[in-house]
């Protein structure tokens, strides 16, 4: 695994070479060393180790930029990539008024490495997973899921003086306990695999599946709901792109277009982005141009403050941006790289999770949402399904299990109907990511919502 | 010159042998990707990516361990072998059903037929093409945004097994497209050419020339502008004709994914989900007897084409649904063996870094015998929906809801020329496919590919394609609005 010291050797060698060509260059280097132990039917069926060094070169002249990326440690490969980037740059058209690479200020060096992470062997992980299988078996169920561990090094340097680096460990355990048609989900994430409450997550999922009984269908209609943090995190993901990406606003495809300064959600909803907050994220305190990402509030007590921009997208907007330096250049794979917040959190409230349920006479408890898609981007209408732990709430208590149910609703309407927010929350880190391995997550409390519209 | 792939594979297998590994298989790959997107006259993305690495699978007592790395130094190779071995041994802790595959032995080559190598086409020629197309679009007063792209992939792969197999493949894929956004009076609509999602093929730059983006701008823009005046999709129950570019998503989500045998057997239940199409459905009805569905990785220029899957199994055309009856799944050697069947050569990885999992390739609904005119004439009242934009389906692949760019009204058995905007429809897979009562003939059949099918942890974005004629379904719920 490449560390920050070795990473800077690679970066500096390329920057020195670029200086001789007369072009500006940004080098983004991502070193990754990760393992996934996947299990299904209470068996480990996939056990995967991946090691890579991903080198992204952005050559720039004035407002023109060209990007070439390669993998591995071979200096000859890196040099060929630089030559190719310079050749491509000659073909690129400059964006008027744009300076394609930013100027750096003070170096940013960050380390979020859990000291014990390196001691976690695959045998240890297999034993942890086997214990989760035992807990599922006690509930008469089988366990499905993944235990992800890894370490990532990011170094971003440029001929313009940008110099930012991060070393971080990460770990996520997530499990679905399933028995016949019933299932329950739970997960836990953090920097340190040795401090994850894996057993707690396994028991939480098992308790959900233990609520047996015939799965009833939820008749279409509006219901008062309690969404667990996992479900809220899914909604935050929709907000991050469709609500808060400056590019989506520029393309006039956001449901929050032109609504800066307006109340768009309940006053109980405040949404922030802070990539440096290790208690609420897997941190990444700078953006993918290496610029510091200052904490920003996108929604303040229901009022939309503006979209997230990078230095290119902000040129195309007349609306006041909420947050700059939200470049994701190169990390979001085939989707392209729109500027967007990566570490959203929804501010907690004052209720306990139990209080959210108490007082609901007839409602629905939702553990997790699945396949949430923006059916109508302009109106902000999302559709998706509940999954792995949907229950009826009856007379203030979580009751019989329900089948998965589909909702179709405007995101603004849904979040306008928030009536209570829990004081506790959860870091939710997706166990999928695009290339390269930059793990991010969001922090969410549970929400009580007065009317969620289920359509099938 | 760097050593050829086979020499690298031999070094890796030798290292595995020295480490005491028995059966092993290695995938060495050079993967290249280029993407150019132009917004108006501004180059938004001009990027190239090249990866060169390997993945090794080793088997210990029927338990598999996988490791990958992106350089070929002796030290890295030994570390990767050790990591794969450690993973296989650790898996024994919690593996009740080990599987020891027999390693393939064949030597073979497969190459995508390409007329014009896309990497040989000057980038400035490509930029000029896209700038021209966008400029034509922006001449329309109500078109506020035009974005177009050209992209290509090349995968040079070698599969090598400890039993002596050496299979080389050189796969080339190209895509191009245009989308225009029209706006007026607070309404914003988008239309795309050739379509929204399924714009890629296993082909070279000849595809870009064949598509003729500039020559199709007028029609695309005219429809985008007309959509601004169109009513929203009505709500209710209707007969719908789904165009082939809508059907591709329907086939993908409600036939392709449910028939992936790893999902059926529960391997993806923790993430991508399971399937309603459990093994007891084999030999039973999946839908209307008009349904004939084949998986065919050898299908010419379809995007998911290959000669061998990533376990070295030779690709072949196979029926999965015949006259509406489920006759097979998409499978790997391990998942097929669990049902006492043979692999359908559907075990694929998206690259050297990843372990293969069961994926679609080219999965197609075969055409029927009705012309489009006949289908429309016998429809009465209904809606033709085309160009999928979004889809959502539950984790058992039963409850779906899809949206599209445009709907065309059918009244009194004819297409009236009226549009509806933002059409959507919903259903449950078995009932929906049972309601299929008309299939277009070969003249209505199209095949399109998408490089964006996500599955697995870590996420693997596979390249797949689907062919379909126009198809008619009765009693479909349309216009699912909040």
């Amino acid at each position: 695994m490449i560390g920050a010291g070795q990473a800077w050797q690679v970066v500096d060698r390329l920057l020195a070479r670029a200086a001789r060509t007369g072009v500006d260059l940004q080098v983004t280097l991502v070193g990754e060393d990760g393992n996934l132990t996947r299990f299904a039917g209470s068996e480990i069926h996939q056990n995967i180790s991946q090691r890579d060094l991903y080198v992204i070169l952005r050559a720039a002249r004035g407002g023109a930029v060209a990007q070439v990326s390669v993998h591995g440690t071979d200096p000859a490969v890196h040099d060929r990539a630089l030559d190719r980037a310079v050749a491509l740059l000659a073909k690129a058209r400059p964006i008027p008024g744009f300076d394609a690479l930013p100027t750096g200020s003070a170096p940013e060096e960050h380390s979020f490495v859990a000291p014990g992470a390196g001691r976690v062997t695959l045998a240890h992980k297999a034993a942890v997973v086997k214990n989760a299988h035992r807990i599922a078996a006690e509930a008469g169920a089988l366990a499905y899921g993944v235990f992800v561990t890894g370490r990532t090094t990011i170094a971003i340097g440029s001929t313009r003086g940008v110099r930012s680096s991060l070393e971080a460990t990460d770990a996520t355990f997530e499990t679905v306990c399933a028995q016949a048609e019933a299932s329950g989900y739970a997960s836990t994430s953090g920097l340190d695999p040795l401090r994850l409450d894996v057993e707690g997550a396994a028991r939480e999922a098992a308790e959900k599946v233990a609520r047996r009984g015939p799965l009833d269908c939820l008749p279409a209609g509006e219901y008062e709901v309690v969404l667990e943090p996992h479900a809220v995190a899914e909604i935050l993901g929709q907000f991050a792109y469709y609500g808060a990406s400056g590019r989506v606003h520029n393309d006039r495809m956001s449901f929050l277009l032109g609504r800066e300064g307006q109340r768009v959600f309940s006053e109980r909803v405040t949404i922030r982005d802070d990539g440096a907050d290790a208690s609420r994220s897997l941190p990444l305190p700078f953006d993918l141009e290496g610029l510091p990402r200052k904490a920003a509030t996108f929604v303040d007590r229901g009022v939309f403050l503006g979209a997230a921009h990078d230095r290119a997208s902000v040129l195309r907007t007349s609306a006041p941006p909420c947050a700059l330096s939200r470049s994701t250049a190169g990390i979001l794979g085939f989707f392209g790289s729109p500027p967007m917040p990566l570490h959203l959190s929804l501010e907690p409230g004052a209720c306990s999770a139990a209080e959210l349920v108490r007082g609901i006479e007839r409602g629905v408890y939702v553990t997790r949402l699945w396949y949430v898609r923006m059916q109508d981007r302009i109106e902000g209408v999302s559709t998706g399904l509940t999954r792995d732990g949907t229950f009826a709430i009856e007379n203030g208590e979580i009751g019989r299990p329900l089948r998965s149910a589909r909702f179709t609703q405007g995101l603004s309407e849904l979040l306008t109907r928030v009536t209570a927010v829990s004081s506790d929350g959860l870091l939710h880190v997706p166990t999928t990511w695009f290339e390269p391995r930059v793990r991010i997550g969001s922090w969410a409390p549970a929400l009580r919502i007065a009317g969620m519209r289920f359509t099938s | 010159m760097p050593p050829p792939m086979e020499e690298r594979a031999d070094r890796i297998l030798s290292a595995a042998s020295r480490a005491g590994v028995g059966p092993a298989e290695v995938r060495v790959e050079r993967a290249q990707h280029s993407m150019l997107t132009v917004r108006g006259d501004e180059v938004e993305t001009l990027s190239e990516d090249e990866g060169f690495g390997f993945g090794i699978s080793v088997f210990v007592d029927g338990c598999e361990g996988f490791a990958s790395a992106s350089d070929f130094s002796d030290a890295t190779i030994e570390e990767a072998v050790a990591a794969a071995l450690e993973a296989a041994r650790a898996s024994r802790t919690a593996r009740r059903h080990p599987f020891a595959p027999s390693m393939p032995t064949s030597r073979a080559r497969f190459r995508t037929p390409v007329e014009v190598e896309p990497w040989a086409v000057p980038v400035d020629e490509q930029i000029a093409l896209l700038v021209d197309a966008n400029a034509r679009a922006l001449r329309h007063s109500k078109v506020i945004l035009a974005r177009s792209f050209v992209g290509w992939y090349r995968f040079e792969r070698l599969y090598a097994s400890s039993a002596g197999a050496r299979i080389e493949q050189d796969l080339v894929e190209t895509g191009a497209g245009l989308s225009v956004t029209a706006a007026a009076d607070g309404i914003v609509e988008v239309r795309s050419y050739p379509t929204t999602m399924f714009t890629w093929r296993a082909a070279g730059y000849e595809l870009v020339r064949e598509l003729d983006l500039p020559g199709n701008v007028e029609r695309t823009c005219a429809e985008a502008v007309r959509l601004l005046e169109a009513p929203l999709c009505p709500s209710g129950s209707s007969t719908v004709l789904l165009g082939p570019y809508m059907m591709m998503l329907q086939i993908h989500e409600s036939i392709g994914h449910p028939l992936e045998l790893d999902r059926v057997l529960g391997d993806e239940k923790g993430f991508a989900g399971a399937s309603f199409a459990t093994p007891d459905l084999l030999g039973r009805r999946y839908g209307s007897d008009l349904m004939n569905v084949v998986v065919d990785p050898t299908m010419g220029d379809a995007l998911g084409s290959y000669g061998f899957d990533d376990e070295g199994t030779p690709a072949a055309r196979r029926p999965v649904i015949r006259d509406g009856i489920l006759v097979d799944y998409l499978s790997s050697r391990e998942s097929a063996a669990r049902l006492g069947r043979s692999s359908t050569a559907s075990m694929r990885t998206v690259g050297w870094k990843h372990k293969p999992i069961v994926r679609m390739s080219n999965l197609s609904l075969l055409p029927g015998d009705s012309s489009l005119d006949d289908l429309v004439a016998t429809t009465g009242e209904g809606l033709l929906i085309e160009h999928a934009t979004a889809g959502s389906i539950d984790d058992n692949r039963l409850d779906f809801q899809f949206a599209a760019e445009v709907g065309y009204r059918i009244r009194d058995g004819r297409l009236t020329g009226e549009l509806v905007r933002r059409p959507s429809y919903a259903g449950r897979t078995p009932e929906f496919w049972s309601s299929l009562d008309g299939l277009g003939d070969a003249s209505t059949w199209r095949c399109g590919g998408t490089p964006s099918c996500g599955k697995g942890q870590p996420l693997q974005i596979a390249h797949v394609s689907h062919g379909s004629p126009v198809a008619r379904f009765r009693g479909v719920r349309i216009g699912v609005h909040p």
Side-chain angles (χ1 to χ4, degrees), chain A residues 41 43 51 69 316 371 431, chain B residues 42 49 79 96 253 457:
Chain A
E43 291 189 76
R51 186 174 287 190
S69 51
R316 298 193 181 110
Y371 227 129
T431 51
Chain B
E42 292 177 1
D49 178 70
E79 285 170 8
R96 290 175 285 115
E253 301 288 12
Q457 294 166 303

Side-chain angles (χ1 to χ4, degrees), chain B residues 421-432:
Chain B
R421 61 191 175 96
R422 303 182 198 171
S424 60
Y425 67 99
R428 284 178 65 81
T429 300
E431 292 87 344
F432 181 79

Side-chain angles (χ1 to χ4, degrees), chain A residues 104-181:
Chain A
S105 51
E108 297 256 333
E109 289 184 26
H110 303 274
S111 178
F112 298 96
V113 174
R119 297 197 304 271
V120 177
T121 64
L122 299 188
H124 169 81
K125 289 177 68 179
V128 168
V129 164
K130 191 171 184 181
N131 189 46
H133 297 170
R134 181 187 58 77
I135 291 167
E138 287 170 2
L142 295 171
Y144 304 78
V146 66
F147 190 2
V148 182
T149 53
R151 180 173 177 142
T152 303
T153 300
I154 301 175
I156 302 177
S158 81
T159 52
R160 294 287 194 87
V162 167
R163 208 164 174 84
S164 300
S165 68
L166 168 86
E167 287 186 87
T169 51
D170 64 80
T172 299
F173 174 87
E174 71 172 7
T175 187
V176 171
C177 271
Q179 197 277 334
E181 291 183 306

Side-chain angles (χ1 to χ4, degrees), chain A residues 396-452:
Chain A
E397 293 190 349
I398 298 172
R400 60 204 158 86
L402 299 170
R403 293 186 184 280
S404 293
R406 174 176 296 284
F407 73 94
T408 305
Q409 193 161 16
L411 211 55
S412 278
E413 182 186 57
L414 188 69
L415 291 179
T416 296
R417 295 177 171 192
V418 171
T419 54
V421 182
S422 72
S423 52
D424 292 330
L426 192 75
L427 169 62
H428 179 84
V429 181
T431 51
T432 58
W433 54 86
F434 298 104
E435 303 291 347
R437 186 183 195 279
V438 177
R439 299 207 66 205
I440 51 180
S442 54
W443 189 95
L447 297 179
R448 184 167 67 202
I449 295 176
M452 189 167 187

Side-chain angles (χ1 to χ4, degrees), chain A residues 54 58 67 241 245 247-248 288 310 326-340 342 434-436, chain B residues 33 35-37 44-47 147 149 153 451-452 461:
Chain A
Y54 193 45
R58 291 171 69 82
Q67 176 175 307
Y241 182 75
S245 169
R247 182 189 293 180
V248 177
L288 272 292
D310 58 20
R326 259 49 180 188
S327 167
T328 64
I331 69 159
L332 292 179
F334 71 98
F335 286 121
S337 298
M340 57 192 282
L342 297 175
F434 298 104
E435 303 291 347
Chain B
H33 173 45
M35 180 56 76
L36 167 65
T37 63
E44 195 171 51
T45 306
L46 177 56
S47 68
R147 182 181 273 127
F149 84 95
Y153 291 87
S452 56
I461 309 292

Side-chain angles (χ1 to χ4, degrees), chain B residues 18-145:
Chain B
R18 285 197 302 277
V21 170
E25 51 195 353
V26 171
R27 299 167 195 92
V28 179
E29 182 192 68
R30 182 189 304 280
Q32 295 170 271
H33 173 45
S34 167
M35 180 56 76
L36 167 65
T37 63
V38 176
R39 181 189 198 269
D41 62 355
E42 292 177 1
V43 174
E44 195 171 51
T45 306
L46 177 56
S47 68
E48 294 183 355
D49 178 70
E50 179 173 328
F52 191 26
F54 69 94
I56 178 168
S57 296
V58 306
F59 298 84
V60 176
D61 298 337
C63 296
E64 182 179 358
F66 175 88
S68 61
S70 57
D71 77 70
F72 293 85
S73 68
D74 290 342
T76 298
I77 288 172
E78 284 173 12
E79 285 170 8
V81 168
L85 204 48
E86 184 188 359
R89 287 174 177 152
S91 299
R92 287 187 301 190
T93 308
R95 183 75 171 167
R96 290 175 285 115
H97 300 98
F99 175 74
S102 57
M103 294 284 106
T105 58
S106 55
R107 299 184 77 90
R109 286 184 178 177
F110 177 85
R111 183 180 169 83
T112 304
V114 169
E115 293 175 26
V116 182
E117 293 173 337
W119 50 90
V121 178
V123 170
D124 35 12
E125 179 184 324
Q126 300 178 38
I127 293 173
L129 173 84
L130 300 186
V131 168
D132 176 35
N134 291 350
R136 292 179 192 222
L138 291 166
R139 282 180 207 142
H140 287 255
S141 60
K142 292 179 180 173
V143 171
I144 58 164
L145 174 64

Side-chain angles (χ1 to χ4, degrees), chain A residues 382-395:
Chain A
S382 277
T383 187
L385 298 115
T386 66
R387 179 179 171 183
D388 298 327
T390 309
F391 301 98
I393 300 173
E394 290 161 330
N395 301 317

